Amino acid sequence: MRIEENGGESASINHLIFAYYVTGHGFGHATRVVEVVRNLIAAGHDVHVVTGAPDFVYTSEIQSPRLFLRKLVLDCGAVQADALTVDRLASLQKYSETAVRPRDSILATEVEWLHSIKADLVVSDVVPVACRAAAEAGIRSVCVTNFSWDFIYAEYVMAAGYHHRSIVWQIAEDYSHCEFLIRLPGYCPMPAFRDVIDVPLVVRRLHKSRKEVRKELGIGEDVKLVILNFGGQPAGWKLKEDYLPSGWLCLVCGASDTQELPHNFLKLPKDAYTPDLIAASDCMLGKIGYGTVSEALAYKLPFVFVRRDYFNEEPFLRNMLEFYQSGVEMIRRDLLTGHWKPYLERAISLKPCYEGGINGGGVAAHILQETAIGKNYASDKLSGVRRLRDAIVLGYQLQRVPGRDVSIPEWYTNAENELGLSTGSPTSEMSESNAITEFCTDDFEILHGDLQGLSDTRSFLNSLVELNNVSDSEKNNEKRQMRERKAAAGLFNWEEDIFVTRAPGRLDVMGGIADYSGSLVLQMPIREACHVAVQRNHPSKHRLWKHALARQNAKGQGPMPVLQIVSYGSELSNRGPTFDMDLSDFMEGEQPISYEKANKYFAQDPSQKWAAYVAGTILVLMKELGVRFEDSISMLVSSAVPEGKGVSSSAAVEVASMSAIAAAHGLSISPRELALLCQKVENHIVGAPCGVMDQMTSACGEANKLLAMVCQPAEIIGLVTIPSHIRFWGIDSGIRHSVGGADYGSVRIGAFMGRKIIKATASTRLSQSMSTANGASPDEVDNDGLELLEAEASLDYLCNLSPHRYEALYANLLPQSMLGEVFLEKYVDHGDTVTVIDKKRTYSVTAAAKHPVYENFRVKAFKALLTSASSNEQLTALGELLYQCHYSYSACGLGSDGTDRLVQLVQEMQHGKASRVDDGTLYGAKITGGGSGGTVCVVGRNCLRSSQHILEIQQRYKKATGYLPFIFEGSSPGVGKFGYLKIRRSIAPKS
């Protein structure tokens, strides 16, 4: 419907003109657009499709003069290196080239074109700028989709750097101009849209029956048929005859013209009509996308799928697929090496049960027609862009609460109902409320160790008891069971010993990123912790998963040691819930493989890259301590330390995993050594350039005490008891933090550049001073000055440089920023073994180098103040040091809108009238850890009113951003204090 200048509306129900914009990401969007367009044209309307897809995608289904194809791509989707690999940085760069830089000309061109065709309605699937162009042309617009690009790109920004976040913000704002969203099943959270109408699956219709298709292909009903549907194939992949079980045939979509296939693989034409082929097959093997999932469900075809990395719509579609008993997940490694048999056989045993509508194309077309003639579906809600006022859009997709149905998109409006005024994690709160529930001693006997009154450990042990019921109980509905719990149920031999460890996350009170520069740090182990259960078994007695057994049988070597891991909470971050590998993969001849090869090994399948944190501990023990593992190992990982919130979830997993493996194998490792070994896991196998304070706190920390440590490399100088009148809280901003993100790494590189420049400057000054001293009398030589220059010329850690020396000699000599190539030409290297300088990137030097020099001084002052007399001045000074640290982070480029807002709220509370009249409550706050989001640390008076003010900040933040912050409070012991539990089931499993 066009909005005329006189306020009238122009449209005739008999003949409408639709402009339909289709994203440039793959064919899946085009194939579903075909079905909506077909229905619009059947109703007598003209449809102009703006697309980059080949003509045959549309013309094979629609032969009509009312279809107009305009070849144009106004967004790029996700740039893929191959069928399974997304290049996040390239995706953002390509979008910037396609839609950001030429934005003004795009809008001018599209407005003119929309006027020229006299469009009555603009439809977008799901091109952001189309909505904005429609608004400027005075035409209503509607989106039809199951996901939006702000949601997909949000995680890319985490990895690529926050300088890209304006892209996500602009996309969300463009979508907010849309009237409403026609939402397809399997949808993601899409808060940029103000109104939503749900429709059934949009599925292309069948042209031929199963029997007709098989007859044309010359394939009998006795042949099992799998269709390989990847929309292209992984790079360097060669299909082999033995990939298929006997009696199977594979139809290959997207094969290149030059690709040679074995006799049991059949290459399909580029323009093959896949719905007919899907319906004629017995199962499908491919990657998850809306098109493949909707057609698998509609035609009740079992779907063997392999995860795509970094494509955030996938978990929502996967949940729908598995809910209707239509999905089997294949590990990428087994796809590429040809271990298909167990997956295919499992698939054909499924009984897909989707009975929902598949007429979404017709329903959507009717809604679009009604909208074009003037019907108003929109309400008077706030526009999406106003609800997204803060940069929380950068992290919202990862803020799902454990236990919540991840398909619920209104996460931000349900948060209060889910959590009430809770200030801690739902897991922890549940544990506390169930604290009176005793550990089931009738089921397990504790042979070593003590629960130490920890309710979360009691709950974890009770969950082990319940695992047996997951597979045995007839009351459980298989469709709703979590796959990870079903896998865990078969993980252990219940008659053998199981070793359990617990390692907490940490709240960075002071020190933060200065740890890699040798600073003093003060860290508090938090209440939330990771539990790991480990069991070792002789390979002949190990219960293997089917695909692992198939892989071992294929090698023909008999039972060999295998590692099997189940990780709870996989659905919260779109990672595989299980991981397995032959332990021989860690060997190269008689020696363990290099860390570099291990990094590549785990990186080959991003959905299982998480396993590097767990399995990597085994390789480090092999390389550093010479341990050899002859038995198979089963591991269950259950962490209540939230990911991406800057509270060291990764360190908790590493420390708990290594300590459990050590306990199971009788290895005696000190907490300090354990932490240093775990840092190697993160630095060299995971590839994250973190310091060691996270692992040290998780290993060596004690409840209600701050671990004081000088990171040179890890010297504990004591535990500082938190005075009874002082309390620390952590408030999560909702913006995902990543140590492996580009901003953290670039700041670290900048700091090491600064150190190298300071050393070179000091060396030059020293040489000049020595030359002068050679001709001077002893009384004229400043030996103290020479000693200082000597120390600075060989500076191991930036934090060993005092602030006054920095200001006096070096501050004015450091460049504000420096191109990597220029630095390398002058200084050769920056002296950091865990980061690599990008020659084409410009790094901030002055701010990155100044921060650790001053932070070390601030931490020393903070530690001294903690032990001083209790007074309001003490609390004020402690708070001021936190504020100074926070703004220093921002100067380095490691701030974020969300954390800045939280610090501002603390300041408003501190300086409010109530706080001035009575004793103060909150005194300071700072961003923590690696920065760029994550959690803010708050210091305040330990009293009820302080807790009330924290809750008030929580609610104010929610009101401003739509996100209810997770609040960390309380403390718990590190793994050194906890030790380990050795348990054994005292009764046989139920039959």
Side-chain angles (χ1 to χ4, degrees):
M1 180 188 69
R2 298 176 57 79
I3 303 172
E4 301 294 335
E5 291 184 3
N6 60 9
E9 299 171 352
S10 69
S12 166
I13 192 170
N14 296 321
H15 180 245
L16 299 168
I17 298 174
F18 294 87
Y20 211 132
Y21 289 82
V22 187
T23 184
H25 180 77
F27 289 177
H29 296 264
T31 56
R32 71 188 183 199
V33 166
V34 164
E35 189 61 19
V36 180
V37 170
R38 185 181 66 81
N39 281 276
L40 288 171
I41 289 175
H45 309 304
D46 288 357
V47 183
H48 295 255
V49 179
V50 182
T51 180
D55 289 358
F56 73 79
V57 175
Y58 300 92
T59 56
S60 61
E61 179 68 4
I62 305 170
Q63 296 86 38
S64 170
R66 294 186 179 278
L67 173 66
F68 302 87
L69 297 179
R70 178 180 173 222
K71 287 304 179 65
L72 181 66
V73 175
L74 295 178
D75 69 357
C76 63
V79 175
Q80 296 181 217
D82 58 36
L84 294 173
T85 307
V86 173
D87 188 326
R88 293 174 288 180
L89 179 57
S91 298
L92 294 171
Q93 291 173 337
K94 183 68 173 178
Y95 186 85
S96 182
E97 294 169 4
T98 305
V100 177
R101 292 173 192 166
R103 180 178 175 84
D104 291 342
S105 63
I106 288 173
L107 287 172
T109 300
E110 294 313 298
V111 169
E112 182 180 355
W113 177 74
L114 290 170
H115 286 154
S116 71
I117 66 169
K118 299 182 179 179
D120 295 299
L121 186 71
V122 171
V123 189
S124 179
D125 184 356
V126 60
V127 181
V129 74
C131 303
R132 180 58 180 266
E136 294 197 4
I139 304 171
R140 298 170 75 182
S141 64
V142 176
C143 284
V144 184
T145 188
N146 65 303
F147 74 86
S148 54
W149 285 113
D150 54 340
F151 180 82
I152 302 300
Y153 287 157
E155 185 175 350
Y156 299 2
V157 171
M158 311 297 168
Y162 278 82
H163 51 288
H164 292 286
R165 62 184 174 183
S166 60
I167 290 176
V168 178
W169 185 235
Q170 184 65 69
I171 290 172
E173 185 177 3
D174 283 347
Y175 285 145
S176 73
H177 292 284
C178 167
E179 288 264 325
F180 60 89
L181 167 68
I182 295 178
R183 188 168 60 184
L184 306 180
Y187 52 81
C188 305
M190 292 181 280
F193 298 100
R194 54 181 172 177
D195 280 288
V196 172
I197 300 175
D198 288 306
V199 298
L201 285 175
V202 175
V203 182
R204 290 179 291 176
R205 59 182 178 171
L206 296 181
H207 291 168
K208 300 173 183 177
S209 68
R210 172 188 172 96
K211 187 174 182 180
E212 289 173 328
V213 173
R214 283 186 170 243
K215 183 177 180 180
E216 288 182 5
L217 294 173
I219 301 172
E221 284 295 331
D222 60 327
V223 176
K224 293 296 181 185
L225 193 60
V226 55
I227 181 168
L228 186 65
N229 193 356
F230 276 97
Q233 295 177 26
W237 193 27
K238 186 176 180 180
L239 297 169
K240 298 179 181 179
E241 179 182 344
D242 60 3
Y243 285 10
L244 295 175
S246 177
W248 282 71
L249 186 66
C250 180
L251 304 178
V252 182
C253 301
S256 66
D257 295 333
T258 58
Q259 185 175 6
E260 295 183 3
L261 298 178
H263 71 89
N264 51 350
F265 287 79
L266 178 63
K267 187 185 302 184
L268 295 172
K270 287 276 197 272
D271 58 353
Y273 191 64
T274 52
D276 289 348
L277 296 164
I278 286 173
S281 300
D282 295 291
C283 67
M284 177 161 52
L285 171 57
K287 61 185 179 183
I288 286 181
Y290 181 84
T292 52
V293 169
S294 62
E295 289 172 357
L297 291 175
Y299 303 122
K300 293 185 168 55
L301 186 75
F303 188 178
V304 179
F305 62 87
V306 181
R307 294 186 189 225
R308 267 188 296 180
D309 54 306
Y310 312 123
F311 204 72
N312 297 335
E313 72 166 326
E314 187 173 279
F316 303 90
L317 293 170
R318 185 174 70 245
N319 287 348
M320 182 169 67
L321 193 68
E322 293 178 343
F323 181 84
Y324 293 109
Q325 300 186 54
S326 298
V328 176
E329 180 175 352
M330 177 184 283
I331 297 171
R332 185 180 301 196
R333 182 175 69 245
D334 287 343
L335 169 75
L336 299 178
T337 56
H339 294 294
W340 294 9
K341 182 178 178 180
Y343 301 98
L344 298 178
E345 291 177 346
R346 167 63 178 157
I348 60 174
S349 72
L350 297 178
K351 299 186 184 301
C353 59
Y354 180 76
E355 299 293 345
I358 59 173
N359 63 331
V363 175
H366 176 74
I367 295 170
L368 294 173
Q369 175 183 277
E370 293 294 297
T371 303
I373 63 174
K375 184 170 181 179
N376 185 18
Y377 285 95
S379 69
D380 294 326
K381 293 179 183 177
L382 292 175
S383 67
V385 69
R386 288 183 63 190
R387 293 204 311 249
L388 293 175
R389 195 183 300 263
D390 202 274
I392 302 307
V393 66
L394 299 177
Y396 66 80
Q397 81 278 19
L398 297 165
Q399 307 311 320
R400 298 185 289 274
V401 173
R404 182 183 300 174
D405 181 353
V406 297
S407 67
I408 298 175
E410 294 84 4
W411 60 271
Y412 47 91
T413 55
N414 286 350
E416 186 170 2
N417 293 333
E418 292 283 342
L419 298 177
L421 293 179
S422 166
T423 61
S425 74
T427 303
S428 298
E429 292 296 326
M430 181 174 61
S431 301
E432 291 295 336
S433 65
N434 292 338
I436 59 172
T437 304
E438 291 300 322
F439 172 51
C440 302
T441 52
D442 290 341
D443 292 280
F444 278 106
E445 180 183 1
I446 297 180
L447 305 175
H448 176 275
D450 181 10
L451 293 179
Q452 299 184 24
L454 294 165
S455 58
D456 60 341
T457 303
R458 181 183 296 109
S459 295
F460 177 71
L461 295 180
N462 283 333
S463 75
L464 293 180
V465 175
E466 295 165 1
L467 277 180
N468 190 53
N469 298 328
V470 172
S471 56
D472 294 339
S473 174
E474 296 181 359
K475 296 180 181 179
N476 286 332
N477 182 339
E478 184 178 354
K479 291 189 296 184
R480 295 182 180 273
Q481 284 179 13
M482 296 175 68
R483 289 181 303 144
E484 57 199 30
R485 293 194 178 273
K486 288 195 288 183
L491 192 61
F492 297 120
N493 180 345
W494 298 109
E495 296 177 357
E496 300 294 332
D497 294 345
I498 297 174
F499 295 81
V500 175
T501 55
R502 177 192 185 280
R506 66 96 186 95
L507 180 64
D508 167 34
V509 175
M510 286 294 287
I513 58 166
D515 64 341
Y516 55 67
S517 293
S519 178
L520 172 66
V521 298
L522 297 173
Q523 307 295 306
M524 184 180 81
I526 60 176
R527 180 177 60 180
E528 290 74 18
C530 173
H531 288 85
V532 172
V534 167
Q535 185 178 73
R536 55 187 289 196
N537 283 294
H538 189 274
S540 62
K541 296 181 180 180
H542 196 202
R543 303 171 65 180
L544 292 178
W545 294 320
K546 288 183 180 179
H547 64 271
L549 181 61
R551 184 176 65 243
Q552 195 163 93
N553 289 340
K555 293 183 177 181
Q557 298 176 342
M560 298 289 289
V562 172
L563 170 66
Q564 294 187 152
I565 308 170
V566 175
S567 173
Y568 286 166
S570 61
E571 293 302 322
L572 301 179
S573 53
N574 191 24
R575 53 181 166 81
T578 63
F579 174 84
D580 65 273
M581 65 178 290
D582 298 331
L583 286 175
S584 60
D585 290 348
F586 275 155
M587 297 296 292
E588 195 168 48
E590 297 298 317
Q591 297 298 319
I593 63 173
S594 68
Y595 288 140
E596 182 181 6
K597 288 184 177 179
N599 177 269
K600 293 179 180 177
Y601 179 91
F602 289 107
Q604 63 187 350
D605 185 352
S607 72
Q608 294 197 316
K609 190 176 180 180
W610 61 267
Y613 295 97
V614 184
T617 61
I618 293 175
L619 180 61
V620 169
L621 290 173
M622 293 170 67
K623 288 184 71 68
E624 305 301 327
L625 300 186
V627 181
R628 294 296 179 265
F629 296 92
E630 305 296 335
D631 288 337
S632 290
I633 301 173
S634 298
M635 301 182 71
L636 175 62
V637 181
S638 177
S639 182
V641 185
E643 298 176 32
K645 300 187 185 299
V647 289
S648 301
S649 58
S650 59
V653 170
E654 293 156 359
V655 171
S657 297
M658 186 176 286
S659 60
I661 291 168
H665 291 82
L667 304 176
S668 179
I669 306 175
S670 71
R672 180 182 180 277
E673 185 182 7
L674 185 81
L676 291 170
L677 291 171
C678 288
Q679 186 196 19
K680 290 183 181 293
V681 176
E682 189 139 2
N683 284 173
H684 303 302
I685 300 179
V686 176
C690 70
V692 73
M693 70 177 189
D694 299 354
Q695 291 82 3
M696 289 293 288
T697 309
S698 190
C700 307
E702 294 186 18
N704 301 313
K705 295 179 181 179
L706 300 182
L707 181 74
M709 180 181 70
V710 176
C711 302
Q712 299 188 17
E715 304 307 321
I716 296 175
I717 62 173
L719 292 160
V720 182
T721 300
I722 300 172
S724 59
H725 67 286
I726 294 175
R727 191 168 189 177
F728 297 100
W729 295 265
I731 309 179
D732 164 43
S733 67
I735 298 178
R736 186 173 175 84
H737 152 83
S738 172
V739 169
D743 294 297
Y744 175 90
S746 65
V747 173
R748 176 170 177 147
I749 289 172
F752 277 84
M753 283 180 166
R755 181 177 70 105
K756 190 65 175 276
I757 295 171
I758 287 171
K759 289 175 66 175
T761 303
S763 181
T764 300
R765 287 177 179 267
L766 179 62
S767 297
Q768 294 171 346
S769 298
M770 293 291 288
S771 298
T772 303
N774 287 335
S777 65
D779 293 337
E780 294 174 325
V781 176
D782 181 4
N783 289 318
D784 292 338
L786 291 177
E787 288 178 4
L788 285 171
L789 286 174
E790 283 180 358
E792 289 155 7
S794 59
L795 192 66
D796 289 331
Y797 297 96
L798 261 178
C799 291
N800 289 340
L801 181 66
S802 65
H804 77 271
R805 287 288 292 181
Y806 170 80
E807 293 293 348
L809 299 181
Y810 306 110
N812 294 330
L813 298 178
L814 290 179
Q816 290 293 320
S817 60
M818 200 168 191
L819 183 67
E821 187 173 21
V822 173
F823 176 87
L824 291 173
E825 286 176 358
K826 188 171 183 179
Y827 298 101
V828 183
D829 68 76
H830 64 319
D832 183 17
T833 59
V834 297
T835 56
V836 178
I837 294 176
D838 182 348
K839 291 183 179 181
K840 303 301 181 184
R841 181 161 188 175
T842 298
Y843 296 92
S844 172
V845 177
T846 299
K850 180 179 179 180
H851 174 82
V853 172
Y854 277 88
E855 181 70 0
N856 188 47
F857 176 80
R858 285 190 289 263
V859 182
K860 289 179 178 178
F862 194 95
K863 179 176 178 290
L865 280 167
L866 280 174
T867 57
S868 66
S870 171
S871 66
N872 197 59
E873 288 74 18
Q874 176 204 32
L875 285 164
T876 300
L878 290 171
E880 181 60 30
L881 289 170
L882 259 65
Y883 287 139
Q884 289 181 18
C885 174
H886 177 79
Y887 293 113
S888 184
Y889 262 76
S890 296
C892 291
L894 292 176
S896 74
D897 295 342
T899 49
D900 285 348
R901 183 185 292 275
L902 284 169
V903 170
Q904 180 183 350
L905 288 171
V906 171
Q907 290 175 352
E908 290 173 0
M909 196 66 69
Q910 176 186 0
H911 302 301
K913 184 176 180 180
S915 295
R916 292 199 305 269
V917 171
D918 303 320
D919 288 339
T921 55
L922 306 181
Y923 287 86
K926 63 176 276 287
I927 195 169
T928 62
S932 297
T935 295
V936 162
C937 173
V938 182
V939 64
R941 193 182 301 277
N942 187 12
C943 64
L944 179 60
R945 283 201 317 111
S946 295
S947 296
Q948 291 171 339
H949 284 171
I950 291 290
L951 289 175
E952 188 173 340
I953 289 171
Q954 183 187 44
Q955 292 302 313
R956 287 187 185 181
Y957 190 79
K958 175 181 179 293
K959 183 177 181 181
T961 67
Y963 175 72
L964 185 72
F966 188 111
I967 294 179
F968 300 94
E969 57 180 340
S971 182
S972 66
V975 78
K977 268 292 187 184
F978 180 83
Y980 69 90
L981 301 178
K982 179 180 178 181
I983 63 175
R984 182 186 297 166
R985 193 152 191 177
S986 55
I987 60 174
K990 299 175 184 177
S991 59

